[in-house]
Amino acid sequence: LFSMLRIRIGISIDGPKIYNDINRVDHSNRGSFDNIIKGINVVKNYGKIPLGILSVVNIEIPPQEMYSFLKELDVTWMNFLLPDGNYDNPPEGLGLDYSETIYADWLISLFDMWFEDNSNRLDIGMFRSLIYLVLGVEVAADEFGTRTTDALVIETNGDIESLDVLKICGDGFTKGDANVKNTSFDEALNTPLARSYHLSH
C-alpha cells in the first residue's frame, strides 16, 4: 500500500547510541536507540518501501563518526534538521551575535566526505537541495527554497497543524481547529499560520 501511494517512511535517529540516547528517550527516560534500530530493520525487511532517516545536527559528534554511522544504516535517503532555537534560547554553541559558524563548519566537513565518496549513493536532502539551488533549480524544502512548502503535521489525536518546528514560538502556537475528522488538507493549508508558512519562501 505504501509503495502504491508513494508514501516514504522516515525514522528519527540522532547518530550513534551514545549521542542518540541523550535526548531521544522513552516515557521511562530510557534511551530509544535499540528500539529505533529494530524499527529500521522491520521496514528494511519489507524491501520495497523507501526508507529514510532524520537526524538533528549534533556538533558534539565528530563528522567522520556521523558519516560512518549513516553509511552503516544502509538507508536510501536522510536529512538533517538544525536544532531548534530562539532569541532567549539559541542552539548550543551559538551566542546572540550569531558570529559563530560551528554548525556550518560541521555540515561542510560532512558534505565534503559525502560528495567525495563514490562508494555510497546516500541521498542527503539538505545537501541535494543546496546543490539544486546553486544550479538554479527550484526547490521546496522546509529550511530554504524557492517554491511553496506544502508541509502539514498530523498529530496523534488527528489535529492538522503547520510545521512542528513552529511550536518553539510559544505554547499552543500551532494549535487550531483543523482535524482529520472535519478538515480537508486543502482547507488546513489555508489556515492563517499554515498559509504564512506555505508561502514563506
Side-chain angles (χ1 to χ4, degrees):
L1 178 63
F2 277 28
S3 296
M4 183 180 70
L5 296 176
R6 294 185 298 164
I7 293 173
R8 298 194 304 182
I9 295 178
I11 297 178
S12 297
I13 188 168
D14 290 340
K17 182 181 178 79
I18 190 172
Y19 301 104
N20 177 85
D21 286 354
I22 293 171
N23 294 313
R24 290 200 185 272
V25 296
D26 63 19
H27 292 294
S28 300
N29 213 35
R30 293 174 302 208
S32 60
F33 182 88
D34 294 336
N35 285 329
I36 294 172
I37 294 297
K38 285 180 187 174
I40 289 172
N41 289 331
V42 166
V43 177
K44 286 165 73 172
N45 285 337
Y46 278 91
K48 295 183 179 179
I49 303 172
L51 167 66
I53 61 165
L54 186 66
S55 295
V56 175
V57 172
N58 181 349
I59 55 175
E60 298 300 317
I61 305 175
Q64 178 64 57
E65 185 176 349
M66 185 65 184
Y67 187 63
S68 296
F69 172 74
L70 294 175
K71 289 180 66 174
E72 288 168 11
L73 286 178
D74 191 29
V75 295
T76 309
W77 57 275
M78 72 85 53
N79 205 5
F80 286 109
L81 289 178
L82 293 170
D84 292 343
N86 59 27
Y87 184 83
D88 293 324
N89 297 291
E92 179 186 355
L94 286 184
L96 293 179
D97 63 356
Y98 295 103
S99 60
E100 299 92 343
T101 60
I102 51 177
Y103 287 93
D105 296 340
W106 191 91
L107 286 164
I108 288 168
S109 180
L110 198 133
F111 174 89
D112 289 342
M113 287 177 240
W114 170 78
F115 190 77
E116 294 168 7
D117 184 1
N118 294 323
S119 68
N120 187 268
R121 291 283 66 111
L122 175 66
D123 180 1
I124 300 180
M126 176 185 282
F127 296 163
R128 175 175 33 82
S129 294
L130 288 169
I131 290 171
Y132 283 175
L133 285 169
V134 169
L135 295 175
V137 178
E138 289 197 344
V139 170
D142 292 348
E143 310 88 354
F144 37 65
T146 52
R147 298 168 57 192
T148 57
T149 49
D150 301 335
L152 291 169
V153 171
I154 304 173
E155 297 289 356
T156 53
N157 65 357
D159 284 348
I160 308 172
E161 301 180 7
S162 192
L163 198 67
D164 52 348
V165 71
L166 297 176
K167 291 177 186 287
I168 200 167
C169 296
D171 188 35
F173 186 79
T174 59
K175 298 293 182 195
D177 298 324
N179 188 283
V180 293
K181 295 177 181 175
N182 56 31
T183 312
S184 72
F185 291 128
D186 286 339
E187 290 170 333
L189 272 175
N190 276 307
T191 57
L193 179 60
R195 188 161 178 77
S196 293
Y197 177 75
H198 174 64
L199 300 174
S200 62
H201 293 331

Coordinates of all heavy atoms in Angstrom, one line a residue, residues 43-123:
V43 N 11.3 -2.2 8.7 CA 10.9 -1.5 7.4 C 11.8 -2.1 6.3 O 11.4 -2.4 5.2 CB 11.1 0.0 7.5 CG1 10.8 0.6 6.2 CG2 10.1 0.6 8.6
K44 N 13.1 -2.2 6.6 CA 14.1 -2.7 5.6 C 13.7 -4.1 5.1 O 13.9 -4.5 4.0 CB 15.5 -2.6 6.1 CG 16.0 -1.2 6.1 CD 17.3 -1.1 6.9 CE 18.5 -1.7 6.2 NZ 19.7 -1.4 7.0
N45 N 13.1 -4.9 6.0 CA 12.8 -6.3 5.7 C 11.7 -6.4 4.6 O 11.5 -7.4 4.0 CB 12.4 -7.1 6.9 CG 13.6 -7.5 7.8 OD1 14.7 -7.5 7.3 ND2 13.4 -7.7 9.1
Y46 N 10.9 -5.3 4.5 CA 9.8 -5.3 3.5 C 10.4 -5.0 2.1 O 9.7 -5.3 1.1 CB 8.7 -4.3 3.8 CG 7.8 -4.8 4.8 CD1 8.0 -4.6 6.2 CD2 6.6 -5.5 4.5 CE1 7.1 -5.1 7.2 CE2 5.7 -6.0 5.4 CZ 6.0 -5.8 6.7 OH 5.1 -6.2 7.7
G47 N 11.6 -4.5 2.0 CA 12.3 -4.4 0.8 C 11.9 -3.3 -0.1 O 12.8 -2.6 -0.6
K48 N 10.7 -3.0 -0.4 CA 10.3 -2.1 -1.5 C 9.9 -0.7 -1.0 O 9.6 0.2 -1.8 CB 9.2 -2.7 -2.3 CG 9.5 -3.9 -3.1 CD 8.4 -4.4 -4.0 CE 8.7 -5.6 -4.8 NZ 7.6 -6.1 -5.6
I49 N 9.8 -0.6 0.3 CA 9.4 0.7 0.9 C 10.6 1.7 1.0 O 11.6 1.3 1.7 CB 8.7 0.5 2.2 CG1 7.6 -0.4 2.1 CG2 8.3 1.9 2.8 CD1 7.0 -0.8 3.5
P50 N 10.6 2.8 0.4 CA 11.7 3.8 0.5 C 11.8 4.2 2.0 O 10.8 4.7 2.6 CB 11.3 5.0 -0.4 CG 10.3 4.4 -1.3 CD 9.6 3.3 -0.6
L51 N 13.0 4.0 2.6 CA 13.2 4.3 4.0 C 14.3 5.4 4.1 O 15.3 5.3 3.5 CB 13.6 3.1 4.8 CG 14.2 3.3 6.2 CD1 13.1 3.8 7.1 CD2 14.7 2.0 6.7
G52 N 14.0 6.4 4.9 CA 15.0 7.4 5.2 C 15.0 7.7 6.7 O 14.1 7.3 7.4
I53 N 16.0 8.4 7.1 CA 16.1 8.8 8.5 C 16.3 10.3 8.6 O 16.7 11.0 7.6 CB 17.3 8.1 9.2 CG1 18.6 8.5 8.5 CG2 17.1 6.6 9.2 CD1 19.8 8.1 9.4
L54 N 15.9 10.8 9.7 CA 16.0 12.3 10.1 C 16.9 12.4 11.3 O 16.6 11.7 12.3 CB 14.6 12.8 10.3 CG 14.5 14.3 10.5 CD1 14.9 15.1 9.2 CD2 13.1 14.6 10.9
S55 N 17.9 13.3 11.2 CA 18.8 13.5 12.4 C 18.9 15.0 12.7 O 19.0 15.8 11.8 CB 20.1 12.9 12.1 OG 20.1 11.5 12.0
V56 N 18.8 15.3 13.9 CA 19.1 16.7 14.4 C 20.6 16.8 14.5 O 21.3 16.0 15.0 CB 18.5 17.0 15.7 CG1 18.9 18.4 16.2 CG2 17.0 16.9 15.6
V57 N 21.2 17.9 13.9 CA 22.6 18.1 13.9 C 23.1 18.2 15.3 O 22.6 19.0 16.1 CB 23.0 19.4 13.1 CG1 24.4 19.7 13.3 CG2 22.6 19.3 11.6
N58 N 24.1 17.4 15.6 CA 24.7 17.5 17.0 C 26.2 17.7 16.7 O 26.9 16.8 16.3 CB 24.5 16.1 17.7 CG 25.1 16.1 19.1 OD1 25.9 17.0 19.4 ND2 24.8 15.1 19.9
I59 N 26.7 18.9 17.0 CA 28.1 19.3 16.8 C 29.0 18.5 17.7 O 30.2 18.6 17.5 CB 28.3 20.8 16.9 CG1 27.8 21.3 18.2 CG2 27.5 21.5 15.7 CD1 28.1 22.8 18.5
E60 N 28.5 17.8 18.7 CA 29.4 17.0 19.6 C 29.8 15.7 18.9 O 30.8 15.1 19.3 CB 28.7 16.7 20.9 CG 28.3 17.9 21.7 CD 29.5 18.7 22.1 OE1 30.5 18.1 22.5 OE2 29.4 20.0 22.0
I61 N 29.1 15.3 17.8 CA 29.5 14.1 17.1 C 30.5 14.4 16.1 O 30.3 15.3 15.2 CB 28.3 13.4 16.4 CG1 27.1 13.2 17.4 CG2 28.7 12.1 15.7 CD1 25.9 12.7 16.7
P62 N 31.7 13.9 16.1 CA 32.7 14.1 15.0 C 32.0 13.8 13.7 O 31.4 12.8 13.5 CB 33.8 13.2 15.3 CG 33.7 12.9 16.8 CD 32.2 12.9 17.1
P63 N 32.2 14.7 12.7 CA 31.5 14.5 11.4 C 31.9 13.1 10.8 O 31.0 12.5 10.2 CB 32.0 15.6 10.5 CG 32.3 16.7 11.5 CD 32.8 16.0 12.7
Q64 N 33.1 12.7 10.9 CA 33.5 11.4 10.3 C 32.7 10.2 11.0 O 32.3 9.3 10.3 CB 35.0 11.1 10.5 CG 35.5 9.8 10.0 CD 35.3 9.6 8.5 OE1 35.8 10.4 7.7 NE2 34.6 8.6 8.1
E65 N 32.6 10.3 12.3 CA 31.8 9.3 13.0 C 30.3 9.3 12.6 O 29.7 8.2 12.4 CB 31.9 9.5 14.5 CG 31.2 8.4 15.4 CD 31.4 8.7 16.9 OE1 32.2 9.5 17.3 OE2 30.8 7.9 17.6
M66 N 29.8 10.5 12.4 CA 28.4 10.6 11.9 C 28.2 10.0 10.5 O 27.3 9.3 10.3 CB 27.9 12.0 12.0 CG 26.4 12.2 11.7 SD 25.4 11.4 12.9 CE 23.8 11.7 12.2
Y67 N 29.2 10.3 9.6 CA 29.0 9.9 8.3 C 29.2 8.3 8.2 O 28.4 7.7 7.5 CB 30.1 10.5 7.4 CG 29.9 10.2 5.9 CD1 28.7 10.5 5.3 CD2 30.8 9.5 5.2 CE1 28.5 10.2 3.9 CE2 30.6 9.1 3.9 CZ 29.5 9.5 3.2 OH 29.3 9.2 1.9
S68 N 30.1 7.8 9.0 CA 30.3 6.3 9.0 C 29.0 5.7 9.5 O 28.6 4.6 9.0 CB 31.5 6.0 9.9 OG 32.7 6.4 9.4
F69 N 28.4 6.3 10.5 CA 27.1 5.8 11.1 C 26.0 5.7 10.1 O 25.3 4.8 9.9 CB 26.7 6.6 12.3 CG 25.4 6.2 12.9 CD1 25.2 5.1 13.6 CD2 24.3 7.1 12.7 CE1 23.9 4.7 14.1 CE2 23.0 6.7 13.2 CZ 22.9 5.6 13.9
L70 N 25.9 6.8 9.3 CA 24.9 6.9 8.3 C 25.1 5.8 7.2 O 24.1 5.2 6.8 CB 24.9 8.3 7.6 CG 24.5 9.5 8.5 CD1 24.7 10.8 7.7 CD2 23.1 9.4 9.0
K71 N 26.3 5.6 6.8 CA 26.6 4.6 5.8 C 26.2 3.2 6.4 O 25.7 2.3 5.6 CB 28.0 4.6 5.4 CG 28.4 5.8 4.5 CD 29.8 5.9 4.1 CE 30.2 4.7 3.2 NZ 31.6 4.8 2.7
E72 N 26.5 2.9 7.6 CA 26.2 1.6 8.2 C 24.7 1.4 8.3 O 24.3 0.2 8.2 CB 26.8 1.6 9.6 CG 28.3 1.5 9.7 CD 28.9 1.7 11.1 OE1 28.1 1.7 12.0 OE2 30.1 1.8 11.2
L73 N 23.9 2.4 8.4 CA 22.5 2.2 8.5 C 21.9 1.7 7.1 O 20.9 1.1 7.1 CB 21.8 3.5 8.8 CG 21.8 4.0 10.3 CD1 21.1 5.4 10.4 CD2 21.3 3.0 11.2
D74 N 22.6 2.0 6.0 CA 22.3 1.4 4.7 C 20.8 1.8 4.4 O 20.0 0.9 4.0 CB 22.5 -0.1 4.7 CG 22.4 -0.7 3.3 OD1 22.7 0.1 2.3 OD2 22.0 -1.8 3.2
V75 N 20.5 3.1 4.4 CA 19.2 3.5 4.0 C 19.3 4.3 2.7 O 20.4 4.6 2.3 CB 18.6 4.4 5.1 CG1 18.3 3.6 6.4 CG2 19.4 5.6 5.4
T76 N 18.2 4.6 2.1 CA 18.1 5.3 0.8 C 18.4 6.8 0.9 O 19.1 7.3 0.1 CB 16.8 5.0 0.1 OG1 16.4 3.7 0.2 CG2 16.8 5.5 -1.3
W77 N 17.8 7.4 1.9 CA 17.9 8.8 2.0 C 17.9 9.3 3.4 O 17.5 8.5 4.3 CB 16.8 9.6 1.2 CG 15.4 9.2 1.6 CD1 14.7 8.1 1.2 CD2 14.6 9.9 2.6 NE1 13.5 8.1 1.8 CE2 13.4 9.1 2.6 CE3 14.8 11.0 3.3 CZ2 12.3 9.5 3.5 CZ3 13.7 11.4 4.2 CH2 12.5 10.6 4.2
M78 N 18.4 10.5 3.7 CA 18.3 11.0 5.0 C 18.3 12.6 5.0 O 18.6 13.1 3.9 CB 19.4 10.5 5.9 CG 20.8 11.1 5.6 SD 21.2 12.6 6.5 CE 20.8 12.3 8.2
N79 N 18.0 13.2 6.0 CA 18.0 14.6 6.1 C 18.4 15.1 7.5 O 18.2 14.4 8.5 CB 16.7 15.3 5.7 CG 16.9 16.7 5.1 OD1 18.0 17.1 4.9 ND2 15.8 17.3 4.8
F80 N 19.0 16.3 7.5 CA 19.4 16.9 8.8 C 18.4 18.0 9.1 O 18.0 18.7 8.3 CB 20.8 17.5 8.7 CG 21.9 16.4 8.7 CD1 22.6 16.2 7.6 CD2 22.2 15.7 9.9 CE1 23.6 15.2 7.6 CE2 23.2 14.8 9.9 CZ 23.9 14.5 8.7
L81 N 18.2 18.1 10.4 CA 17.5 19.3 10.9 C 18.5 20.1 11.8 O 19.2 19.5 12.6 CB 16.3 18.9 11.8 CG 15.1 18.3 11.1 CD1 14.0 17.9 12.2 CD2 14.5 19.3 10.1
L82 N 18.4 21.4 11.7 CA 19.2 22.2 12.6 C 18.4 22.2 13.9 O 17.2 22.2 14.0 CB 19.3 23.6 12.1 CG 20.2 23.7 10.8 CD1 20.1 25.1 10.2 CD2 21.7 23.4 11.1
P83 N 19.1 22.3 15.1 CA 18.4 22.3 16.4 C 17.6 23.5 16.5 O 17.9 24.6 16.0 CB 19.6 22.2 17.4 CG 20.8 22.7 16.6 CD 20.6 22.3 15.2
D84 N 16.4 23.3 17.2 CA 15.5 24.4 17.4 C 16.2 25.5 18.3 O 17.0 25.1 19.2 CB 14.2 24.0 18.1 CG 13.4 23.1 17.1 OD1 13.6 23.2 15.9 OD2 12.5 22.4 17.6
G85 N 15.8 26.7 18.1 CA 16.4 27.7 19.0 C 15.6 29.0 18.8 O 14.9 29.2 17.7
N86 N 15.6 29.9 19.7 CA 15.1 31.2 19.6 C 16.0 32.2 20.3 O 17.0 31.9 20.8 CB 13.6 31.3 20.1 CG 13.5 30.9 21.5 OD1 14.4 31.1 22.3 ND2 12.3 30.4 21.9
Y87 N 15.5 33.5 20.3 CA 16.4 34.5 20.8 C 16.8 34.3 22.3 O 17.9 34.5 22.7 CB 15.7 35.9 20.7 CG 16.5 37.1 21.2 CD1 17.4 37.7 20.3 CD2 16.4 37.6 22.5 CE1 18.2 38.7 20.7 CE2 17.2 38.6 22.9 CZ 18.1 39.2 22.0 OH 18.9 40.3 22.4
D88 N 15.8 33.8 23.1 CA 16.1 33.6 24.5 C 16.9 32.3 24.7 O 17.6 32.1 25.7 CB 14.8 33.5 25.3 CG 14.1 34.8 25.3 OD1 14.8 35.8 25.4 OD2 12.8 34.8 25.3
N89 N 16.7 31.3 23.8 CA 17.4 30.0 24.0 C 18.0 29.6 22.6 O 17.5 28.8 21.9 CB 16.4 29.0 24.4 CG 15.8 29.3 25.8 OD1 16.5 29.2 26.8 ND2 14.5 29.6 25.8
P90 N 19.1 30.2 22.3 CA 19.8 29.9 21.0 C 20.3 28.4 21.0 O 20.5 27.9 22.1 CB 20.9 30.9 20.8 CG 21.2 31.3 22.2 CD 19.9 31.3 23.0
P91 N 20.5 27.8 19.9 CA 21.1 26.4 19.9 C 22.4 26.4 20.6 O 23.1 27.4 20.6 CB 21.2 26.1 18.4 CG 20.2 27.0 17.7 CD 20.2 28.3 18.5
E92 N 22.8 25.2 21.0 CA 24.0 25.0 21.7 C 25.2 25.6 20.9 O 25.3 25.3 19.7 CB 24.3 23.5 22.0 CG 25.6 23.2 22.7 CD 25.8 21.7 22.8 OE1 25.0 20.9 22.4 OE2 26.9 21.4 23.2
G93 N 26.0 26.3 21.6 CA 27.2 26.8 21.0 C 27.1 28.2 20.2 O 28.1 28.7 19.8
L94 N 25.9 28.6 20.1 CA 25.6 29.9 19.4 C 25.3 31.0 20.4 O 24.5 30.9 21.2 CB 24.5 29.8 18.4 CG 24.7 29.0 17.1 CD1 23.5 29.1 16.2 CD2 25.9 29.6 16.4
G95 N 26.1 32.1 20.2 CA 25.8 33.3 21.0 C 24.7 34.1 20.3 O 24.3 33.9 19.2
L96 N 24.3 35.2 21.0 CA 23.2 36.0 20.4 C 23.8 36.9 19.2 O 23.0 37.5 18.5 CB 22.6 36.9 21.4 CG 21.8 36.1 22.5 CD1 21.2 37.1 23.5 CD2 20.7 35.3 21.8
D97 N 25.1 37.0 19.1 CA 25.6 37.8 17.9 C 25.6 37.0 16.6 O 25.8 37.5 15.6 CB 26.9 38.4 18.2 CG 28.0 37.4 18.4 OD1 27.7 36.1 18.4 OD2 29.2 37.8 18.6
Y98 N 25.5 35.7 16.8 CA 25.4 34.7 15.6 C 26.6 34.9 14.7 O 26.6 34.7 13.5 CB 24.1 34.9 14.8 CG 22.9 34.6 15.6 CD1 22.1 35.6 16.1 CD2 22.6 33.2 15.8 CE1 21.0 35.2 16.9 CE2 21.5 32.9 16.6 CZ 20.7 33.9 17.1 OH 19.6 33.6 17.9
S99 N 27.8 35.2 15.3 CA 29.0 35.3 14.5 C 29.7 33.9 14.3 O 30.6 33.8 13.5 CB 30.0 36.3 15.2 OG 30.3 35.9 16.5
E100 N 29.4 33.0 15.2 CA 30.0 31.7 15.1 C 29.5 30.9 13.9 O 28.4 31.1 13.4 CB 29.7 30.8 16.4 CG 30.3 31.4 17.6 CD 29.2 32.3 18.3 OE1 28.3 32.7 17.7 OE2 29.4 32.6 19.5
T101 N 30.3 30.0 13.4 CA 29.9 29.2 12.2 C 30.1 27.7 12.5 O 30.4 26.9 11.6 CB 30.8 29.6 11.0 OG1 32.1 29.3 11.3 CG2 30.6 31.0 10.6
I102 N 29.9 27.3 13.8 CA 30.1 26.0 14.2 C 29.2 25.0 13.5 O 29.7 23.9 13.1 CB 30.1 25.8 15.7 CG1 28.7 26.4 16.2 CG2 31.2 26.4 16.4 CD1 28.6 26.2 17.7
Y103 N 28.0 25.3 13.2 CA 27.1 24.4 12.5 C 27.4 24.3 11.0 O 27.4 23.2 10.5 CB 25.6 24.8 12.7 CG 25.2 24.5 14.1 CD1 25.2 25.5 15.1 CD2 24.7 23.3 14.5 CE1 24.9 25.3 16.4 CE2 24.3 23.0 15.8 CZ 24.4 24.0 16.8 OH 24.0 23.7 18.0
A104 N 27.8 25.5 10.5 CA 28.2 25.4 9.1 C 29.5 24.6 8.9 O 29.6 23.8 8.0 CB 28.4 26.9 8.6
D105 N 30.4 24.8 9.8 CA 31.7 24.1 9.7 C 31.5 22.6 9.8 O 32.1 21.8 9.1 CB 32.6 24.5 10.9 CG 33.0 26.0 10.8 OD1 32.9 26.6 9.7 OD2 33.5 26.6 11.8
W106 N 30.6 22.2 10.7 CA 30.3 20.7 10.9 C 29.6 20.2 9.6 O 30.0 19.1 9.1 CB 29.3 20.6 12.1 CG 29.1 19.2 12.6 CD1 29.8 18.5 13.5 CD2 28.1 18.3 12.1 NE1 29.3 17.2 13.7 CE2 28.3 17.1 12.8 CE3 27.1 18.3 11.2 CZ2 27.5 15.9 12.7 CZ3 26.3 17.2 11.0 CH2 26.5 16.0 11.7
L107 N 28.7 20.9 9.1 CA 28.0 20.4 7.9 C 28.9 20.4 6.7 O 28.8 19.5 5.8 CB 26.7 21.3 7.6 CG 25.6 21.1 8.6 CD1 24.6 22.2 8.5 CD2 24.9 19.7 8.2
I108 N 29.8 21.4 6.6 CA 30.7 21.5 5.4 C 31.6 20.3 5.5 O 31.9 19.6 4.4 CB 31.5 22.8 5.4 CG1 30.6 23.9 5.0 CG2 32.7 22.7 4.5 CD1 31.1 25.3 5.2
S109 N 32.1 19.9 6.7 CA 33.0 18.8 6.8 C 32.3 17.5 6.4 O 32.9 16.7 5.6 CB 33.5 18.7 8.2 OG 34.4 17.6 8.4
L110 N 31.1 17.4 6.8 CA 30.3 16.2 6.4 C 30.0 16.2 4.9 O 30.0 15.1 4.3 CB 29.0 16.1 7.3 CG 28.4 14.7 7.3 CD1 28.1 14.3 8.7 CD2 27.2 14.6 6.4
F111 N 29.6 17.3 4.4 CA 29.4 17.4 3.0 C 30.6 17.0 2.1 O 30.4 16.3 1.2 CB 29.0 18.9 2.6 CG 28.8 19.1 1.1 CD1 27.6 18.9 0.5 CD2 29.9 19.5 0.3 CE1 27.4 19.1 -0.8 CE2 29.7 19.7 -1.0 CZ 28.5 19.5 -1.6
D112 N 31.7 17.4 2.5 CA 32.9 17.0 1.8 C 33.1 15.5 1.7 O 33.5 15.0 0.7 CB 34.2 17.7 2.4 CG 34.2 19.2 2.1 OD1 33.5 19.7 1.2 OD2 35.0 19.9 2.8
M113 N 32.9 14.9 2.9 CA 33.0 13.4 2.9 C 32.0 12.8 2.0 O 32.3 11.8 1.2 CB 32.8 12.9 4.3 CG 34.0 13.2 5.3 SD 33.5 12.6 6.9 CE 33.6 14.1 7.8
W114 N 30.8 13.3 2.1 CA 29.7 12.7 1.3 C 29.9 12.9 -0.2 O 29.8 12.0 -1.0 CB 28.4 13.4 1.7 CG 27.2 13.1 0.8 CD1 26.4 12.0 0.8 CD2 26.6 14.0 -0.1 NE1 25.4 12.1 -0.1 CE2 25.5 13.3 -0.7 CE3 26.9 15.3 -0.5 CZ2 24.7 13.9 -1.6 CZ3 26.1 15.9 -1.5 CH2 25.0 15.2 -2.0
F115 N 30.3 14.1 -0.6 CA 30.5 14.5 -2.0 C 31.6 13.7 -2.7 O 31.6 13.3 -3.8 CB 30.7 16.0 -2.1 CG 30.7 16.5 -3.5 CD1 29.5 16.7 -4.2 CD2 31.9 16.8 -4.2 CE1 29.5 17.2 -5.5 CE2 31.8 17.3 -5.5 CZ 30.6 17.5 -6.1
E116 N 32.7 13.5 -1.9 CA 33.8 12.8 -2.4 C 33.8 11.3 -2.3 O 34.6 10.5 -2.8 CB 35.1 13.3 -1.7 CG 35.4 14.8 -2.0 CD 36.4 15.3 -1.0 OE1 37.0 14.6 -0.3 OE2 36.6 16.6 -1.1
D117 N 32.7 10.7 -1.7 CA 32.6 9.3 -1.5 C 31.8 8.7 -2.7 O 30.6 8.7 -2.8 CB 31.8 9.0 -0.2 CG 31.7 7.6 0.1 OD1 32.2 6.7 -0.7 OD2 31.1 7.2 1.1
N118 N 32.6 8.1 -3.6 CA 32.0 7.5 -4.8 C 31.4 6.1 -4.5 O 30.8 5.5 -5.4 CB 33.0 7.4 -5.9 CG 33.4 8.8 -6.4 OD1 32.5 9.7 -6.5 ND2 34.7 9.0 -6.8
S119 N 31.7 5.6 -3.3 CA 31.2 4.2 -3.0 C 29.8 4.2 -2.4 O 29.3 3.2 -2.1 CB 32.2 3.6 -2.0 OG 32.1 4.2 -0.7
N120 N 29.3 5.4 -2.2 CA 28.0 5.5 -1.5 C 27.1 6.5 -2.2 O 27.5 7.6 -2.6 CB 28.2 5.9 0.0 CG 26.9 5.8 0.8 OD1 26.2 6.8 0.9 ND2 26.7 4.7 1.4
R121 N 25.8 6.1 -2.3 CA 24.9 7.0 -3.0 C 23.8 7.4 -2.1 O 22.6 7.6 -2.5 CB 24.3 6.2 -4.2 CG 25.3 6.0 -5.4 CD 25.6 7.3 -6.2 NE 26.2 8.3 -5.4 CZ 27.5 8.7 -5.6 NH1 28.2 8.2 -6.5 NH2 28.0 9.7 -4.9
L122 N 24.1 7.6 -0.8 CA 23.1 8.1 0.1 C 22.6 9.5 -0.3 O 23.5 10.4 -0.5 CB 23.7 8.1 1.5 CG 22.9 8.8 2.6 CD1 21.7 7.9 2.9 CD2 23.7 8.9 3.9
D123 N 21.3 9.7 -0.4 CA 20.8 11.0 -0.7 C 20.5 11.8 0.6 O 19.7 11.4 1.4 CB 19.4 10.8 -1.5 CG 18.8 12.1 -1.9 OD1 19.3 13.1 -1.6 OD2 17.7 12.0 -2.5

